[in-house]
Amino acid sequence: MKNLLAFVTRYYHWLLFLLLEIVSGILLFNYNSYQGSVWFSSANTVAGKIYEYDANVRSFFSLTRVNEELTLRNFYLERQVSQLRRLYSDLTHDSTIVERQEMAFLSQYQLIPAKVISNSVNKADNLITIDKGLADGVRKDMGVTSGNGVVGVVYMVSEHYAVVIPVLNASASRISCVIRGRNYFGYLQWYGGDPAVAYVEDVPRHARFKRGEWVETSGYSAIFPPGVLAGKIEKIYDSADGLSYRLKIRLSTDFSCLRDVCVISESGFAERKLLEEQAQDSITMTPK
């Protein structure tokens, strides 16, 4: 204690100077919007770089397992596509119609590959940071997917990074879905807890389906095209009011080891968003 008091007495002017500098910095950045925005932007850039380096190291050591999974998945997908093309050509007697329809549909979309540099699964409102931003064509409200299915929606974008609201965000994520081949739709929501399980709410009572069937995006919103996997039905419940079904699904995306994602950019995205914003402003400004 005596040594501590001697140290403080000897260097009190330096300690006082340091304290005043800290207080001044807090006041400057908290109560001045410009300085605060500069600090926030710089801090995000530094944090983004740190997360990026960390993610690169982890991604390097998991490449073997990821490549094995991708190879197996591609094999199964190629088999399924081949079988479907054969069946369709047998029915229509046209071996090229499938290719023409696929190319016409896919030409509307551009996939922007990105890497996850920050991710969490143990909070109520998780967020994901990816290493692509405005400079790469990423915009707010674009959909994000992985090789296995739905990931989330772009929420905030800077020049070189973007923050994504994933399915595992209890407060902000609601994604329109349908039961594959049935066209009965509801919305996908996660309520916390197990990061591998979510629920599809408000499925109509007259719907006919069974456990083991797949749930995918409906395409009714402007964010995701139809047919992106969400998960497989595990259990079927009645809703609280008994007027609809509630489906427990096993998510197709494993958020705990998410590394590579794609941002979905539609060719008419910017035009449609501008029109929607103008319509919303018009409704807001209309006198009641």
Side-chain angles (χ1 to χ4, degrees):
M1 179 62 74
K2 187 179 295 184
N3 290 336
L4 177 61
L5 292 174
F7 177 84
V8 171
T9 303
R10 185 174 180 180
Y11 296 104
Y12 76 93
H13 48 287
W14 290 108
L15 296 175
L16 180 61
F17 172 80
L18 182 60
L19 177 63
L20 291 175
E21 285 292 314
I22 293 172
V23 172
S24 300
I26 292 173
L27 294 176
L28 177 66
F29 293 118
N30 280 356
Y31 297 97
N32 294 274
S33 57
Y34 174 74
Q35 287 84 353
S37 64
V38 171
W39 167 259
F40 181 77
S41 177
S42 301
N44 274 357
T45 301
V46 173
K49 285 295 182 183
I50 293 173
Y51 284 137
E52 185 176 4
Y53 293 143
D54 178 66
N56 286 338
V57 172
R58 285 183 292 166
S59 177
F60 175 81
F61 288 106
S62 62
L63 281 177
T64 301
R65 183 171 59 85
V66 170
N67 286 334
E68 290 174 353
E69 292 175 356
L70 287 175
T71 301
L72 288 173
R73 183 167 182 79
N74 286 337
F75 172 77
Y76 291 128
L77 288 175
E78 288 293 340
R79 289 288 302 276
Q80 291 174 359
V81 169
S82 177
Q83 291 170 3
L84 287 172
R85 283 178 173 164
R86 268 202 310 273
L87 288 172
Y88 199 94
S89 63
D90 289 342
L91 290 172
T92 61
H93 305 291
D94 184 352
S95 61
T96 63
I97 189 169
V98 176
E99 286 83 355
R100 294 200 304 270
Q101 291 177 342
E102 284 180 351
M103 292 303 296
F105 177 75
L106 292 175
S107 65
Q108 305 174 53
Y109 298 95
Q110 175 192 2
L111 297 181
I112 304 171
K115 286 194 176 295
V116 174
I117 59 174
S118 175
N119 183 23
S120 63
V121 297
N122 56 357
K123 302 175 182 176
D125 295 319
N126 297 287
L127 294 173
I128 293 173
T129 303
I130 60 176
D131 67 347
K132 295 295 171 65
L134 294 171
D136 307 289
V138 177
R139 299 293 182 270
K140 186 177 184 296
D141 293 332
M142 285 184 172
V144 182
T145 68
S146 69
N148 295 320
V150 172
V151 172
V153 180
V154 175
Y155 175 58
M156 294 179 67
V157 190
S158 66
E159 194 65 18
H160 300 291
Y161 299 96
V163 175
V164 177
I165 293 179
V167 173
L168 305 186
N169 187 302
S171 300
S173 178
R174 286 162 62 99
I175 297 173
S176 177
C177 291
V178 296
I179 300 170
R180 176 184 285 175
R182 304 285 189 175
N183 293 325
Y184 299 119
F185 66 91
Y187 64 90
L188 178 67
Q189 188 157 13
W190 182 70
Y191 294 102
D194 190 347
V197 171
Y199 294 86
V200 177
E201 306 284 1
D202 290 347
V203 178
R205 291 292 297 184
H206 61 271
R208 294 291 177 266
F209 53 89
K210 59 184 181 293
R211 285 184 298 175
E213 293 194 66
W214 288 97
V215 173
E216 58 191 21
T217 56
S218 64
Y220 297 153
S221 72
I223 296 174
F224 290 101
V228 180
L229 277 182
K232 183 179 288 187
I233 301 173
E234 281 196 342
K235 291 185 179 180
I236 303 169
Y237 305 95
D238 290 328
S239 62
D241 56 13
L243 299 178
S244 60
Y245 289 120
R246 183 180 195 232
L247 311 181
K248 178 182 177 182
I249 71 166
R250 177 70 53 176
L251 294 172
S252 58
T253 299
D254 186 352
F255 287 88
S256 63
C257 62
L258 195 60
R259 293 289 179 269
D260 296 283
V261 297
C262 286
V263 182
I264 302 173
S265 174
E266 188 184 353
S267 57
F269 180 84
E271 180 182 352
R272 186 180 63 252
K273 287 297 297 180
L274 178 60
L275 182 62
E276 290 173 352
E277 290 171 0
Q278 290 174 343
Q280 187 62 45
D281 292 342
S282 176
I283 293 172
T284 304
M285 295 174 64
T286 302
K288 298 181 180 180

